[in-house]
Amino acid sequence: MKKIVIEQLEQRGITVDDIALIVFDLQKSYYPGLEKEVCLEAIDAVLEKREVQYAVLTGLALDVLAEQDLLPEPISTIIKMDESLYGIDEILALAITNIYGTIGITSFGYLDKMKIGLIGRLDSSLGYVNTFADDIVAAIASAAAAKIAHNQKGNGKYHH
Ligand code: MG
């Protein structure tokens, strides 16, 4: 299932490498000497979780269906326009950030505002519907950052 999730993310122009850059950005000031490999491992652990996989697949499917005009109205237009009051994209993303507790939610709010790296590119890519994708990326990055924070607290021991 994780393989399918990574493939579907890539089909939408999202690579784990790009997400790792965001995680690195979030955590570098807290952990000097943080390596990209640690960020990639944390993302991998996040993508291992079934509730994360389901949230990613659901969000990406809705983006694709909206893009292809396959959703009924009025939701088709609402998702295509990324209506500011819609908010279900953020709600879905919370299913991802929640897995490692509140640290993830704080980072998610920050990324949602700052639109770092790939998140900004997704947010402004013309011709594509990325209403769910930008929040999914922000959520995976936040959850991975939270996992790194938890691991550091436990002296490098992994808590699953
Ligand atoms: Mg969005």
Side-chain angles (χ1 to χ4, degrees):
M1 179 78 81
K2 187 174 76 179
K3 195 168 164 271
I4 296 171
V5 169
I6 291 172
E7 275 169 17
Q8 294 203 3
L9 284 167
E10 282 175 356
Q11 281 164 15
R12 302 302 293 169
I14 300 162
T15 66
V16 284
D17 249 57
D18 279 319
I19 303 175
L21 289 177
I22 300 167
V23 177
F24 184 81
D25 232 55
L26 279 173
Q27 294 299 86
K28 66 181 176 203
S29 48
Y30 302 104
Y31 308 111
L34 175 68
E35 282 169 21
K36 194 178 153 204
E37 195 55 40
V38 174
C39 300
L40 286 168
E41 275 168 26
I43 292 166
D44 200 63
V46 168
L47 293 178
E48 205 66 68
K49 304 250 181 195
R50 193 49 65 101
E51 59 264 56
V52 171
Q53 296 168 348
Y54 286 160
V56 173
L57 295 179
T58 303
L60 294 183
L62 287 168
D63 277 351
V64 170
L65 290 171
E67 202 171 282
Q68 296 174 347
D69 285 319
L70 291 173
L71 289 176
E73 291 298 356
I75 203 65
S76 179
T77 301
I78 292 168
I79 293 179
K80 271 190 281 187
M81 293 297 161
D82 202 358
E83 286 260 9
S84 56
L85 286 178
Y86 179 56
I88 307 300
D89 40 351
E90 282 95 9
I91 301 289
L92 183 89
L94 288 179
I96 299 172
T97 49
N98 278 344
I99 59 172
Y100 296 117
T102 48
I103 305 177
I105 297 172
T106 314
S107 304
F108 179 74
Y110 170 76
L111 289 177
D112 195 41
K113 263 208 201 78
M114 305 305 287
K115 309 221 181 286
I116 293 174
L118 173 67
I119 300 168
R121 293 204 295 282
L122 288 170
D123 194 48
S124 59
S125 62
L126 292 173
Y128 292 95
V129 175
N130 285 322
T131 298
F132 283 86
D134 59 347
D135 297 288
I136 286 170
V137 170
I140 295 171
S142 306
K147 181 167 181 61
I148 292 170
H150 283 297
N151 288 345
Q152 295 294 332
K153 257 189 241 160
N155 292 324
K157 273 190 222 123
Y158 272 67
H159 303 284
H160 285 287

